[in-house]
Amino acid sequence: MLIIVAAVAVVAVAAVGAYVLMGGNDDSSDSGSSDEYLTEKSGSAKVSSIDTKLLVFGNANNDVYLDDKDVKFIQDIVDGKEKWNKSKNPLADTNADGEVTAVDVSLLERFIDGKTSPMFYLDSNLDTVKIQFPLTGKIAIGGLNDADMLKIIGKYDSIVAAVSDIGGNEDEYPGSSKWAKIGTYPYDYETLLSKDVNITLGQPFMYDSTFDNLAKNGYSSFRMDTVKLHEARFMNGIEGIACTVTLGALMNAFDNSLYKSYLDYVDNINSIVSKATVNISSGDELTCAMLVTHTCKSASDIGIDNWATGVENYGDVATASNLKLTNAYPKVEGGFITGLSVENVLKYNPDIIFIEAVSVNTPKEFHDVVDKVSSWFKDAGYKGKIIGITYSVMGNAPSVSVLPLLSSLIYGEDVYKEADAWKDLVDYYNTFLGYDFTVDEIKESMYGAYIVA
């Protein structure tokens, strides 16, 4: 079984306008569907950092749900029972106008009831973006990771178009052979419009200046919502897992049983990792080196994925950060270091080496490339832990599923049982992506970690 997961995917609805084609829970006769919940300052709230995976204003308590707990949280602020901490709980301000009032409670209740309403959320640049909730329409995707997210939130059948180099595998992506081909990158607006596309999902390079300039003119002239939460990037503290969680909220998947199960799954994973790393304080973290196999050409020509100096890193950095691992190397601009020797890598004494297999198509290829690269380091006397993993797992949406396993392998079974971690991994692929793995099968596949002896 082969999964090709896009290096980056996803969503951030550009503030392209006040109207989106509505369906499902749209109640156009309800006067509340107007902008009566907005003020002149709505959407002006700025957030410098956020510790949540649900990036929607109204998520007052920073968990992964919009629910009655958030309503109570905001109502207590309105009633004066609690003081609003703007830096700790900025999303309590549902209409993003800088104040918490009864309007914020009412607007949040509309989200929970699935009623058409203005909604604000944070994109990967921490910009506050407005959409008309729920976001609905025909979707074009830029990678199969997008398709996986749409499976999880119950919107997979909305896909009508995809870039030309993906799709067609009916076993894993039913209906993909019928997706309209929209060329490669960047997206061509006219082509998308000819396919009646309302929403595009994709990473930044898929949109050129012409596309973005059209978006600035508003929905009347640009009849499309662009979604750019940089799914396989780690930007401004926002990681890829947040993209699926947030996209589900924007598209009103709250009543979808699979999406709700995913939220519970993410919540459980967060708890597992938190318990595994609770005793690690700043300065005591283990260090790691992340070797990327397509840049590891020989023992004297090694490439690693490094922590970058700017706001953007690759998704594998987010995975390592979740596990409270730190980079063994000085940060570099761009995040990549190439042309290193084994000795140069080892002089920084990494506690753990990740060998990230890229562009492998079978389990044998995966294991062979990990064995080859790891042999260079073992021959040089490295005695630390070596873990093989594909970038599609370490650096993309499935990273949530492998966090318990990596916690167990790195910190020991006393923090989390390895057998339970493998079950967590199987649950992700079987429950949310529709596969049928057994634990033994996934251990021999490309979708978990390969422990190098």
Side-chain angles (χ1 to χ4, degrees):
M1 198 181 302
L2 170 63
I3 298 177
I4 304 174
V5 184
V8 184
V10 291
V11 290
V13 181
V16 295
Y19 179 74
V20 177
L21 295 179
M22 288 294 161
N25 291 303
D26 183 19
D27 185 1
S28 57
S29 65
D30 186 346
S31 62
S33 63
S34 71
D35 285 351
E36 66 182 81
Y37 299 94
L38 305 185
T39 69
E40 290 183 0
K41 294 183 178 179
S42 287
S44 64
K46 299 296 182 183
V47 178
S48 59
S49 64
I50 188 68
D51 185 21
T52 179
K53 292 177 173 59
L54 178 57
L55 308 175
V56 172
F57 283 81
N59 179 23
N61 62 357
N62 295 338
D63 62 10
V64 293
Y65 309 95
L66 287 184
D67 55 21
D68 291 340
K69 292 180 181 178
D70 296 299
V71 173
K72 183 180 185 304
F73 194 106
I74 299 173
Q75 188 66 59
D76 283 348
I77 296 173
V78 173
D79 294 342
K81 296 179 180 178
E82 298 288 344
K83 186 176 180 179
W84 181 34
N85 187 324
K86 292 185 180 181
S87 60
K88 185 177 180 181
N89 302 95
L91 302 184
D93 178 16
T94 312
N95 69 349
D97 67 351
E99 299 179 333
V100 173
T101 68
V103 168
D104 296 304
V105 176
S106 299
L107 183 55
L108 174 58
E109 289 175 334
R110 292 186 65 82
F111 299 158
I112 294 172
D113 292 339
K115 294 180 179 179
T116 302
S117 312
M119 175 182 269
F120 296 92
Y121 81 104
L122 297 173
D123 68 11
S124 292
N125 294 314
L126 289 176
D127 289 332
T128 302
V129 181
K130 177 186 172 184
I131 66 158
Q132 185 83 335
F133 169 83
L135 182 66
T136 62
K138 296 179 180 179
I139 302 172
I141 63 172
L144 292 178
N145 220 21
D146 296 338
D148 290 344
M149 290 193 305
L150 292 167
K151 283 182 182 180
I152 290 169
I153 67 175
K155 304 295 182 180
Y156 179 83
D157 290 342
S158 296
I159 302 172
V160 299
V163 294
S164 298
D165 57 351
I166 67 170
N169 185 334
E170 290 289 328
D171 290 336
E172 296 175 13
Y173 296 94
S176 60
S177 60
K178 297 180 181 178
W179 294 340
K181 299 301 183 184
I182 53 175
T184 53
Y185 318 115
Y187 284 139
D188 179 72
Y189 174 72
E190 296 297 336
T191 299
L192 291 168
L193 202 60
S194 71
K195 306 300 181 183
D196 296 323
V197 169
N198 307 107
I199 304 165
T200 62
L201 307 184
Q203 55 187 318
F205 67 78
M206 298 178 184
Y207 303 91
D208 62 11
S209 59
T210 300
F211 203 99
D212 288 335
N213 287 334
L214 283 168
K216 294 177 182 178
N217 295 326
Y219 200 87
S220 60
S221 60
F222 185 84
R223 294 177 289 130
M224 200 173 298
D225 286 286
T226 62
V227 187
K228 300 179 188 173
L229 279 171
H230 308 154
E231 202 284 334
R233 295 290 186 264
F234 186 32
M235 298 186 63
N236 297 300
I238 296 173
E239 59 181 306
I241 300 166
C243 297
T244 304
V245 172
T246 302
L247 180 60
L250 299 179
M251 301 189 77
N252 191 28
F254 300 125
D255 291 332
N256 180 276
S257 60
L258 193 61
Y259 174 66
K260 289 192 290 187
S261 294
Y262 181 77
L263 296 183
D264 291 341
Y265 181 86
V266 170
D267 211 21
N268 181 54
I269 298 298
N270 289 340
S271 177
I272 291 168
V273 176
S274 178
K275 290 177 181 177
T277 59
V278 67
N279 294 321
I280 300 172
S281 58
S282 180
D284 293 332
E285 301 96 338
L286 297 177
T287 60
C288 68
M290 297 187 292
L291 315 184
V292 185
T293 57
H294 70 75
T295 59
C296 294
K297 300 173 183 177
S298 70
S300 59
D301 191 5
I302 304 290
I304 67 167
D305 202 351
N306 186 249
W307 272 242
T309 56
V311 297
E312 181 175 342
N313 293 288
Y314 289 95
D316 52 3
V317 175
T319 301
S321 297
N322 272 323
L323 296 166
K324 292 193 176 179
L325 301 174
T326 62
N327 182 28
Y329 289 80
K331 292 182 179 180
V332 297
E333 193 68 43
F336 267 95
I337 303 176
T338 58
L340 301 173
S341 66
V342 167
E343 291 74 21
N344 190 285
V345 173
L346 293 182
K347 77 177 183 180
Y348 291 99
N349 299 313
D351 297 301
I352 299 154
I353 291 176
F354 287 110
I355 300 176
E356 296 185 65
V358 179
S359 302
V360 291
N361 296 311
T362 67
K364 185 178 186 305
E365 286 182 39
F366 170 40
H367 294 166
D368 285 349
V369 72
V370 171
D371 285 338
K372 179 182 70 174
V373 177
S374 65
S375 68
W376 302 338
F377 287 85
K378 289 190 289 185
D379 290 346
Y382 181 70
K383 302 296 183 183
K385 294 181 180 179
I386 301 177
I387 298 174
I389 193 166
T390 61
Y391 182 82
S392 61
V393 174
M394 183 76 169
N396 284 298
S399 64
V400 64
S401 64
V402 82
L403 289 173
L405 179 59
L406 294 179
S407 295
S408 178
L409 296 176
I410 293 167
Y411 297 112
E413 288 213 58
D414 56 330
V415 301
Y416 199 64
K417 297 296 183 185
E418 185 181 332
D420 292 335
W422 282 108
K423 291 177 183 177
D424 293 328
L425 191 61
V426 166
D427 284 346
Y428 175 83
Y429 284 100
N430 291 359
T431 302
F432 302 113
L433 300 185
Y435 300 114
D436 191 24
F437 280 119
T438 65
V439 170
D440 288 339
E441 286 171 339
I442 206 164
K443 284 183 176 180
E444 297 301 320
S445 73
M446 299 187 296
Y447 311 124
Y450 174 43
I451 301 93
V452 179

